Every structure is written in structure tokens, then in C-alpha cells.
Amino acid sequence: MVAAFSEDLARGSQDRAAVVGRGGRAAVDLAWIAGHTRSVTGQHCPVGRRLPMAFDKTYDVVVVGTGAAGFATALGAVDEGLSVVMVESTAKWGGNSAKSGGGMWLPNNPLMHRDGVGDSRTEALTYLEATVGDEGRSTSRERKEAFVDGVDDFVETAQKHGMEFVRAAEYADYYPERAGGKIGRSIEHKPFNLRKIGTWWRSSQAPAAMPILTGDVWLLGRAWSTPSGLRRGARLVFRAVGGLARGAKLAGIGAGLTASFLHIVVVKHKADLWLESPLEDLVVTDGRVVGARVTHKGEQLTIGANRGVMLAAGGFDYNRQWRRKYHGIDGAPSGAPGNLGKPIDIAMSHGAATELLDDAWWGASVAATSASEPSFIVGERSFPYSIIVDAHGDRFANESESYVDLGHHMLEHDKVGPYWMVADRRHARRYLRSYAMDPRAVKAMRREGVLFKADTLAGLARLIDIDPARLAATVQRFNRLARAGVDGDFGRGNSAYDRYYSDPLVHPNPNLGPLEYGPFTAVKVVIGDLGTKGGVLTDTDGRALREDGSVIEGLYSAGNNSASVMGRTYPGPGSTIGPAVVFGLRAARHMARDR
């Protein structure tokens, strides 16, 4: 063993895999005996760095979590020639990213340059200042600049390794009328052939495999009511059939994005990915994080990290105790059930500062039932012939506004609710309603008091325990505004973002349609979210910071595990995953430089 390791040590980085394969406790002991000049992977250790003697395995980079932030870190690691292991606490990989729309809001990106779409660093930063503003250290000017300046590196690195991106060219920033606002800054992965990852697909967190793009969704919502929607629906069918004819199993949105990441990092570059391997603690030596303690296949293991540990394990979406403490509600999350906040808690126990724990990527969701999870709604609430009312039957916000704004308005108005989306029959007949696609879910909604139908508004009001006269007054006023084409109460339909999810055949305002024809429906709406957005405070390279601003050497955080550079808002489609991948890659670059 001594001779074999000595040969590997002499070869250095030429045979990194061989060293790691024979690593473990004996190898680390030998490295210690050799004077700590090299790690077990053949890479030089930083001056003064001392690794513990009892690691079961050692890698250059340990990534906790398997969402977009974790995969971007791993992508950067393999691009730099570093060894990496990804550990996932649950039996499914992909996190919230796999369940998401998969879009990445990346202003001034290379695809925009290619298409001749005007954008610039200055405009991107102007827009971020106009929307995000100053919400603490996580939203500092330096962090905003680091995000914008890291976009090109992420896109170009991902493409170099085989990822294929397209622009969501029609998707507007969520505040396009503000200074620096644009349309078409979001990018996403092309539908990906899942056969390339083999049996890994079986353990994906993604709910299904469909060759859909976010650029399809806004039109598919009206696939049987407008010519443009019908054409887009036909394109989706042809895309699916074409994939099957080629022997491909295509997946778009979050499923395709995370599968492509896994294909590059795990399949092509042979990085390790361990499922059911929760982080138990960090290993710290002389104030530096040098490893992680995990439970893997029922065994307690200590993993050495020569370059750093990345915490990218999501937020605390499903931690009811934390939700009540920081948000004041139980929450109705749409993310991955394994998001319990333990890695954030562990980082805090080692001195990491936190910000934005009281916030989330809020929105409106149809209430859960015994047959369905909360269903995050976007287009459904923006299409004509519908309104959202509170428990008294009053409108309280622009139903078509950015989902994070609507979520904040719901929180400010009444955390308890209930809220109801009330619609006439045209809403159900003309538009795709994601929450009503599964007949079993619809039956459960009716049985469990989530969905009601009545021939008259008065009858519907009585079913949902609202004063019929008050609901009638609300609808009458809204109908007058809809016919005039101007929502004088809340400005629905005024923004280009509002009109992204709308019906161009409805005049004079494509977001407004009077509620006139029964039967009428009411679906219970709750305060939902796409994940929590508060966590570990980090610098421009994703390094964890203490409260006094000093760096916790060797510890990094990104994605929903960290405090978001987006502060308390949501500048554009993909503002969760965009910063996650940029800061994940920036962290990997820093680890590679940290010799």
C-alpha cells in the first residue's frame, strides 16, 4: 500500500482517480506522514493547511445537494480537473430544480448576443438596482456585479461540456417597464434525451418527462382557444413524436436541465453521486472546513475536502417548525420534500451568518388534497374571466402580477385566508388549468372542499361561506372595469409581464374578461412558494461569511441554501436558478484557485 501510494503521489494529478480509489484512512495517514505537501488526490495543499488523519474518503470538492446550484458547482469542479462527490439526503436527486420550470434568468447572456438582442452589463445592473435594491449584505452591489459578470462563464462552460440552451425569447422580465427592463433574458435547456443517463432517471426528483419548454407554457395555456396556442400545442406533439421515432425519451424544463447536468458530471466525468446520504456535520481544522460527516448506506463516513465543501441542499421548505418561526405560517411548498434546512442549521452552528430567513419565493397555489400537492398557479390566475378574492369576497391585488408580489400581498392582507379564485365557465372551457388535469385530483378537490361549482354566483358564494351580496358587488365592479379595459383598482393588464399570460382575442384588455356565464367555479387558493430564499450569507464567490464579515475558509453555499442576491423580489423568469448556477460555478472557480 505504501509503495502504491508513493507512486501515485509522484504522478500527482496525472492519475487522480487511482489515488482516490485507493484513498481512505490509510492514504490520508500517508499524506500526513509525507509532510502534508500534497493531498491524496495529488494536488498541492495550501500552505499551512492540515487535513485530519481519519478520512474514509477524500475528494477535492464535496457538494451537499443535487439541484442546479450543486450541479453547477460540480460542473465547475470537473471543468477545473478536480475530483468531486455529490451527496443527497433523500433517495431522489435534482431537488427543487428538477421539479421547476428549469428557466434561468441570466441578463446579458451569450444567447442574447448571438441573436442580436440588445442588453448590457450596465442595463442589467440598473434593472437589478431598480427591482432588488438594498435588502442587506446578500444584495450588495458587489454581489449583483458578481452575478451579472458570471453569466458568460456559466453559459460558455456548460455549452463547452455539451449542454444546449435556447432563449425564452417572449418571456418578459417581471418589471419590464422599470429602468433596464427587457424581454427575453431567460434561457433554458433544450429537451434532453433521458436515455443518456440510463437508470439514473428512475431516481430523479422530476415528476414527469415531457419535451416541453417554458416558451411553450404561455401558449399551451390557451391551446384550444387561440390559433397561436393551437400551433404551439401541435409543435409539442410533433416534438414528442419525433423524439420517440428517434428512440429518444425527451424531457424539458427542470427535468431536462438537471438530467443534462447529471449526464455531464456523473456519467461523462465519473463524479460520485450518493443518494440517501445526509450531511451530519462539517469537519473543521484550525478554523477551516476540511471535510464533511455524512451517513451513507447506513454507515457514518467522514469525507475529506481538499478544496472546499459546497452547501447547495436547498432551503427549509418542509420544516414546519422553521416555517412557523420565520414565516408565521406552515407553508404550502411546491419543492422537494427533503428541504428541511439541516445544512443551513449546521452552517449556523459553525458561525455562518444568515439573511432573508423570513422570506421565500412566494406565490399563489391551489390548496393540497389527499390526492394532490399544492399546485402553484401562474397562467390560470392571469387569464380572463377569473378573479381572486379574500374570505370576504373582495379583490385585494392584481391577479396577473408577478407571483412573488401576489404572495407578498396575500401575506400582508391575510396570512390565514382562505382565498378563492372565482371564474365563469369560459375560464374552464378556454384555458388549460394545471390543477384540474388529473380526474382523481379533481374528485378529491370537490370532496375535500377545495373546488366548488354552482349555476349562480349567489349559490357559489353560499358554498364558500361568503356573503352573496358582497361577492356580487365585487364581480359587478370588476365586470365594469373589464368592459372598459382598464383595471382602475389594481392595474391588471397594464404590464407586458401581465400580458404574457393572457388571451389576445379578448378585448379591450387581454387579461380582463367579465364573469357573466355559469356555471361558476371557486377553487381554494393558499399562500404557496417555490422554495425558501433565506440562508447562509455569502460573498461574491459563494464563500460563507460570519456575522463580522470574515470568511469561513473552505465553506461555500449557493442556491436556496444561501441568502439570495435577488433580495425580496423576483426580477425575471428563472431568478432562482439563474443565481444558483452562476454562484455555484463561481464557487468552483474559487476552489480551483485556492491552492
Side-chain angles (χ1 to χ4, degrees):
M1 175 68 185
V2 173
F5 181 76
S6 298
E7 291 174 4
D8 284 339
L9 191 60
R11 281 197 299 269
S13 60
Q14 296 177 12
D15 196 4
R16 179 177 295 108
V19 183
V20 174
R22 288 194 293 271
R25 296 178 186 271
V28 178
D29 290 348
L30 288 168
W32 190 266
I33 293 168
H36 322 296
T37 58
R38 289 183 183 270
S39 74
V40 294
T41 61
Q43 295 290 309
H44 284 286
C45 290
V47 175
R49 183 180 302 179
R50 290 178 176 270
L51 298 179
M53 298 174 61
F55 288 136
D56 297 291
K57 287 182 178 291
T58 301
Y59 298 82
D60 291 319
V61 179
V62 175
V63 177
V64 181
T66 56
F71 272 119
T73 307
L75 173 67
V78 299
D79 186 65
E80 294 282 357
L82 303 178
S83 61
V84 59
V85 61
M86 304 181 73
V87 295
E88 165 62 50
S89 64
T90 73
K92 294 185 177 182
W93 57 271
N96 283 13
S97 300
K99 300 186 71 174
S100 75
M104 296 168 282
W105 189 73
L106 298 173
N108 197 33
N109 66 69
L111 276 70
M112 298 179 75
H113 304 162
R114 177 201 66 193
D115 294 348
V117 178
D119 201 2
S120 67
R121 181 180 191 271
T122 298
E123 289 175 295
L125 290 170
T126 297
Y127 180 68
L128 285 172
E129 293 296 350
T131 54
V132 176
D134 181 3
E135 293 292 344
R137 293 164 292 179
S138 64
T139 62
S140 68
R141 177 72 179 193
E142 293 76 17
R143 292 239 316 147
K144 294 188 187 89
E145 290 177 347
F147 166 59
V148 173
D149 293 342
V151 166
D152 280 5
D153 187 23
F154 168 72
V155 175
E156 291 167 359
T157 300
Q159 289 178 324
K160 178 180 72 175
H161 285 275
M163 298 186 85
E164 298 181 280
F165 298 130
V166 294
R167 289 178 54 234
E170 297 91 355
Y171 213 155
D173 289 348
Y174 289 174
Y175 311 95
E177 291 77 24
R178 296 194 188 181
K182 299 283 182 182
I183 294 176
R185 279 172 162 159
S186 181
I187 72 173
E188 59 187 314
H189 202 285
K190 290 182 178 179
F192 178 80
N193 183 6
L194 296 175
R195 301 200 190 283
K196 292 182 178 181
I197 64 171
T199 58
W200 277 107
W201 170 245
R202 299 175 189 169
S203 55
S204 171
Q205 189 71 245
M210 295 179 61
I212 193 169
L213 297 167
T214 59
D216 297 326
V217 175
W218 67 297
L219 289 171
L220 290 176
R222 46 186 169 87
W224 49 82
S225 59
T226 67
S228 57
L230 180 62
R231 287 194 296 271
R232 186 58 64 95
R235 282 172 56 182
L236 177 61
V237 171
F238 288 135
R239 189 186 303 150
V241 172
L244 292 173
R246 299 191 307 271
K249 183 177 182 179
L250 298 178
I253 56 176
L257 174 68
T258 51
S260 181
F261 266 131
L262 183 137
H263 177 246
I264 293 167
V265 171
V266 177
V267 177
K268 291 174 66 174
H269 287 276
K270 309 301 181 184
D272 287 339
L273 193 163
W274 300 349
L275 299 178
E276 298 180 280
S277 301
L279 176 72
E280 305 295 349
D281 204 352
L282 300 170
V283 180
V284 181
T285 298
D286 296 332
R288 181 185 180 92
V289 174
V290 296
R293 303 186 194 282
V294 304
T295 299
H296 177 55
K297 295 182 178 180
E299 182 182 3
Q300 296 283 326
L301 296 179
T302 304
I303 312 172
N306 297 324
R307 300 304 182 88
V309 175
M310 164 57 80
L311 300 182
F316 54 95
D317 319 11
Y318 284 81
N319 186 326
R320 289 290 178 86
Q321 183 177 355
W322 279 31
R323 296 301 297 259
R324 291 174 185 142
K325 177 181 178 180
Y326 293 113
H327 299 154
I329 58 175
D330 287 342
S334 294
N339 293 334
L340 300 173
K342 186 176 180 180
I344 299 175
D345 194 35
I346 290 171
M348 292 168 65
S349 73
H350 287 279
T354 58
E355 282 188 348
L356 299 174
L357 291 176
D358 62 331
D359 214 340
W361 304 99
W362 300 112
S365 291
V366 172
T369 69
S370 59
S372 59
E373 298 177 347
S375 179
F376 202 78
I377 51 174
V378 182
E380 295 93 339
R381 59 181 170 78
S382 192
F383 285 130
Y385 313 116
S386 68
I387 58 174
I388 297 179
V389 299
D390 62 15
H392 303 292
D394 300 326
R395 289 181 73 212
F396 61 93
N398 169 9
E399 295 90 346
S400 299
E401 67 187 350
S402 161
Y403 31 88
V404 75
D405 285 346
L406 182 60
H408 278 134
H409 285 139
M410 293 171 75
L411 284 163
E412 294 161 5
H413 187 71
D414 185 359
K415 284 187 178 182
V416 177
Y419 294 95
W420 298 94
M421 185 166 68
V422 178
D424 84 358
R425 72 185 184 199
R426 288 170 293 185
H427 188 267
R429 291 181 179 181
R430 292 175 63 90
Y431 311 121
L432 177 69
R433 300 176 300 162
S434 59
Y435 58 85
M437 294 176 66
D438 183 349
R440 294 169 300 177
V442 172
K443 288 181 180 179
M445 290 166 68
R446 290 173 174 164
R447 184 176 63 248
E448 298 172 26
V450 174
L451 175 64
F452 293 93
K453 181 185 287 189
D455 290 333
T456 65
L457 278 171
L460 186 69
R462 285 188 287 270
L463 289 175
I464 59 178
D465 198 25
I466 288 177
D467 176 12
R470 193 157 176 174
L471 181 61
T474 296
V475 171
Q476 288 167 9
R477 176 170 178 78
F478 176 78
N479 288 352
R480 288 196 298 271
L481 299 174
R483 294 187 188 100
V486 179
D487 179 6
D489 292 337
F490 302 104
R492 180 173 171 181
N494 290 353
S495 171
Y497 170 74
D498 293 4
R499 297 189 294 274
Y500 182 73
Y501 293 104
S502 66
D503 187 341
L505 299 184
V506 174
H507 301 284
N509 187 320
N511 292 102
L512 303 179
L515 280 67
E516 299 172 307
Y517 303 110
F520 299 91
T521 57
V523 60
K524 182 182 289 186
V525 176
V526 296
I527 302 168
D529 64 77
L530 298 175
T532 55
K533 66 159 56 177
V536 177
L537 181 66
T538 60
D539 70 1
T540 57
D541 289 312
R543 297 186 296 174
L545 301 176
R546 299 183 180 88
E547 194 59 47
D548 63 5
S550 62
V551 172
I552 301 177
E553 298 290 345
L555 184 62
Y556 300 77
S557 186
N560 288 355
N561 207 117
S562 64
S564 177
V565 70
M566 299 303 175
R568 299 189 181 280
T569 190
Y570 210 123
S575 291
T576 56
I577 300 180
V581 296
V582 167
F583 282 107
L585 184 62
R586 288 186 69 97
R589 298 291 190 218
H590 186 273
M591 292 184 208
R593 297 193 304 268
D594 188 21
R595 297 178 183 275

